[in-house]
Amino acid sequence: MLCAMIVDDEKAICDGLTENMPWAQMGIGRVIRFYSAKEAIESKAVPDILISDICMPRMTGIDLAEKMLEKNPECKVIFISAYSDKEYYRSAISLHAMGYIEKPINQAEAIEVISGAAALCQRQKHLISQQKGMEQYQVEQFCRDAANGHFRREWLEDPFIAGFAARHRWFMAVQVMVRPGLLKPGESQKLCHTASEQFRRFFAQCLAIVKEKDVLLLILADSPPKSEAALRDSMRLAIDSMAQRDELFFAAGAPVASVESLPSSCASAAETSRLLFYRGYGGAVFFEESRRPYLSEFRLDESFLEEVPCLIRENREDEYMLKLQKSLRTACECVNCPPEAIKKEYSKLLRVLSETGAAIFHRQDYETYHMWKTIEQAGTLLRLKDYLLTVSGELFHEHRKFSRYGSTVYAVVQELNRQLSNPDFSIRMLAQTLHFRDTYLSSLFKSKTGTTINRYLMGLRMEEARRLLRNTELSISQVAIRSGYRDVDYFTRCFKKHTGVLPSAFRGGQKR
């Protein structure tokens, strides 16, 4: 909607026009009034249409119109006058006034003049919007071509591209990598818009382009002659302002001082993006950081690999973890080594852990293929590190139980974990599975653990029930079934006996 300003030192005329015209029908959504030209100028308002008395004390409507046209060259001027002074009209003509409203005011004539001015404003705004849209489209196409290495000098002959180049002094391409699984289908454009809006607060212009799936390309342009250090500072401030920054990785290319060099900035941003694996999500890496003399080769110590089974059997967990952490710190500095090579080296360790674990217990996620697949899909070294530490910690934990209980009782514990949600599970079934007499298993289990098989199983089931009540929205009956109870009333009684509260009260926070 348009904004109209009415200025007249005759209060009755000013108020009458403001209050008695069908402004909304004419496409004018805001009307402001002043009783002197001085007040209008001091208000700092910038109208689309100025309706002013041509002859006012201290400052004429002509002078006011000149001031408003300086603020908005597209402003449409309409004069109100009861005078026939030719000098006034000659001045009005020089300002390209849209029309005149004579005093006394005829409403129909006033509506006709103002409607014409409003219609012209709307047409011009539409044309300007179309032109801006075309310019945005052309500039985005140019930036997309530059990013893909298809820069053509003919682009610079396009008036929109030439204008883009002339308006700005510094340019920088930034690749934004999104953590897998963060975006739902179709949300890339939404993130694109959010990123560009945030960065425009710090840069004269920001174009955000979805370059690949979950990869954004930001083209940042700055008008002031900033230094490269100032550009980097602005970049960090822009990143800190983003709500999702911990789920993103920013790879900034080399700053360039002309659009002709933009392809090189895009290429350097792509090169910098390889540091994602080593630095992880939640930060930014600048091109010059990627050019440091990092190590280009990574090898796991063969003597460490040979020692791993012995370290696990002898429960020397601290020594093992110290050596693993040391190797991971070295891997962080091997930025010039392809991530695939680092994953290949740690696959050797996983193979040793898998073989060692197979002698202790059988679980699908400790099979060689499953472990290799997990490490292959690790997008960052941090995720790889977390997986290695988790697998190693579980192996030491399970080996300690194996050593404490012996192979038979340990096998009972493993089977109880597997059968936790089976309401038909019994000690007789357990004995048949492990090929022992049930009385022997019960006696051996109690002597090694200090509790009976049934009590141990109930403890596992109650622990699972607490986990489900805390972390899921499953109903009480669904929790009972997943915890190995077919009868929800019996489950409720067991839960209260074990924890002191009903399952509903536990979920409500009375017991944590």
Side-chain angles (χ1 to χ4, degrees):
M1 298 292 277
L2 302 174
C3 173
M5 177 188 286
I6 302 173
V7 185
D8 198 311
D9 60 330
E10 292 186 50
K11 188 174 185 299
I13 293 176
C14 192
D15 293 346
L17 276 173
T18 304
E19 296 167 7
N20 300 316
M21 299 290 286
W23 297 108
Q25 294 178 24
M26 295 186 289
I28 297 171
R30 184 184 176 211
V31 181
I32 48 180
R33 71 184 103 177
F34 298 102
Y35 304 117
S36 73
K38 184 173 181 292
E39 288 179 14
I41 292 172
E42 289 177 349
S43 74
K44 297 183 180 179
V46 182
D48 297 296
I49 300 172
L50 172 65
I51 305 168
S52 173
D53 188 2
I54 200 169
C55 183
M56 293 182 289
R58 291 187 293 277
M59 180 181 287
T60 68
I62 303 293
D63 297 328
L64 172 61
E66 288 176 344
K67 296 287 186 183
M68 289 301 167
L69 286 167
E70 288 176 6
K71 294 180 180 181
N72 177 16
E74 303 301 325
C75 180
K76 307 307 170 203
V77 179
I78 299 172
F79 287 119
I80 307 170
S81 179
Y83 298 90
S84 59
D85 191 322
K86 293 180 180 179
E87 289 303 319
Y88 279 118
Y89 287 108
R90 274 197 290 269
S91 299
I93 290 168
S94 70
L95 290 173
H96 303 289
M98 271 293 301
Y100 308 93
I101 301 174
E102 293 185 356
K103 297 178 183 178
I105 294 174
N106 180 294
Q107 187 181 41
E109 292 177 358
I111 290 174
E112 183 180 355
V113 174
I114 296 170
S115 295
L120 183 58
C121 279
Q122 295 285 20
R123 285 197 299 271
Q124 288 183 333
K125 283 182 177 289
H126 180 66
L127 288 172
I128 290 170
S129 176
Q130 281 187 323
Q131 185 177 22
K132 285 184 177 178
M134 180 60 70
E135 178 177 10
Q136 181 81 0
Y137 175 77
Q138 290 290 80
V139 171
E140 283 190 7
Q141 285 294 105
F142 162 74
C143 292
R144 191 174 283 108
D145 279 4
N148 292 324
H150 304 315
F151 178 82
R152 303 190 307 273
R153 294 199 62 84
E154 305 90 81
W155 269 115
L156 301 180
E157 297 173 8
D158 184 287
F160 296 133
I161 305 303
F164 174 69
R167 284 194 304 272
H168 305 301
R169 174 68 177 83
W170 287 96
F171 303 88
M172 182 165 61
V174 182
Q175 275 204 13
V176 186
M177 320 291 283
V178 187
R179 188 188 297 275
L182 175 68
L183 297 180
K184 296 177 182 176
E187 285 190 338
S188 295
Q189 288 294 343
K190 182 179 177 181
L191 179 62
C192 214
H193 176 74
T194 301
S196 58
E197 287 298 312
Q198 293 287 352
F199 275 77
R200 280 193 193 105
R201 295 165 51 196
F202 300 90
F203 294 90
Q205 185 164 355
C206 171
L207 298 174
I209 303 165
V210 178
K211 187 168 180 279
E212 300 165 14
K213 184 183 178 183
D214 299 341
V215 177
L216 306 180
L217 178 68
L218 303 178
I219 303 294
L220 310 177
D222 247 350
S223 299
K226 290 184 178 180
S227 65
E228 292 187 20
L231 269 182
R232 287 192 291 273
D233 290 342
S234 295
M235 176 77 180
R236 292 189 192 282
L237 288 171
I239 291 170
D240 288 342
S241 73
M242 294 195 70
Q244 294 174 311
R245 64 184 181 277
D246 292 339
E247 307 294 333
L248 306 173
F249 174 77
F250 297 84
V256 294
S258 67
V259 290
E260 289 93 334
S261 302
L262 192 52
S264 67
S265 184
C266 293
S268 60
E271 181 181 342
T272 306
S273 67
R274 67 190 170 85
L275 269 69
L276 166 63
F277 178 77
Y278 303 91
R279 297 295 179 260
Y281 294 97
V285 178
F286 293 89
F287 177 64
E288 59 271 17
E289 296 177 47
S290 70
R291 306 297 290 173
R292 291 176 184 170
Y294 294 106
L295 299 175
S296 57
E297 188 177 14
F298 176 73
R299 289 285 186 274
L300 269 176
D301 188 344
E302 291 293 333
S303 61
F304 169 57
L305 291 174
E306 293 172 1
E307 195 180 6
V308 166
C310 180
L311 292 173
I312 294 174
R313 284 196 302 271
E314 296 177 6
N315 199 32
R316 292 152 60 190
E317 185 174 2
D318 290 344
E319 185 178 345
Y320 168 89
M321 290 297 186
L322 190 66
K323 292 183 177 181
L324 177 58
Q325 294 274 22
K326 182 180 178 181
S327 78
L328 288 165
R329 284 195 296 272
T330 302
C332 281
E333 295 303 315
C334 296
V335 168
N336 293 326
C337 177
E340 292 72 22
I342 290 178
K343 291 179 180 180
K344 183 178 179 180
E345 286 298 303
Y346 279 112
S347 292
K348 298 177 183 178
L349 174 61
L350 287 174
R351 186 169 60 251
V352 174
L353 293 176
S354 176
E355 292 170 355
T356 305
I360 301 174
F361 64 105
H362 302 282
R363 262 173 47 188
Q364 181 185 358
D365 49 354
Y366 276 83
E367 293 176 358
T368 302
Y369 175 77
H370 185 277
M371 297 173 79
W372 172 82
K373 198 68 178 173
T374 303
I375 199 171
E376 186 69 17
Q377 293 172 348
T380 65
L381 188 56
L382 179 61
R383 185 167 182 178
L384 174 59
K385 172 184 175 181
D386 288 343
Y387 181 64
L388 288 168
L389 292 175
T390 298
V391 168
S392 301
E394 286 187 1
L395 262 176
F396 276 99
H397 175 72
E398 294 297 330
H399 185 267
R400 282 193 292 273
K401 285 200 299 185
F402 182 85
S403 302
R404 184 168 68 251
Y405 295 150
S407 59
T408 303
V409 173
Y410 185 79
V412 171
V413 171
Q414 292 292 91
E415 189 63 22
L416 292 177
N417 276 285
R418 278 194 289 270
Q419 299 290 341
L420 183 147
S421 61
N422 181 2
D424 298 320
F425 183 72
S426 65
I427 295 178
R428 178 171 293 181
M429 183 189 298
L430 173 68
Q432 290 175 349
T433 301
L434 299 178
H435 307 292
F436 286 99
R437 294 196 316 275
D438 53 355
T439 53
Y440 171 75
L441 275 185
S442 297
S443 174
L444 178 65
F445 190 89
K446 186 169 184 180
S447 68
K448 291 288 187 179
T449 65
T451 189
T452 66
I453 294 176
N454 282 330
R455 284 178 183 169
Y456 188 89
L457 178 60
M458 176 179 278
L460 291 178
R461 286 175 167 171
M462 291 298 108
E463 183 181 341
E464 175 67 2
R466 287 196 298 270
R467 185 188 70 81
L468 293 171
L469 289 168
R470 282 197 191 101
N471 303 323
T472 74
E473 298 298 324
L474 295 173
S475 66
I476 302 299
S477 59
Q478 289 173 318
V479 170
I481 291 169
R482 292 202 184 189
S483 302
Y485 293 87
R486 187 178 287 108
D487 186 336
V488 68
D489 292 332
Y490 179 59
F491 164 73
T492 301
R493 290 196 301 272
C494 290
F495 190 89
K496 185 173 182 181
K497 182 178 179 181
H498 191 82
T499 65
V501 295
L502 293 170
S504 56
F506 181 89
R507 171 168 275 171
Q510 295 182 33
K511 183 80 174 176
R512 294 291 176 183

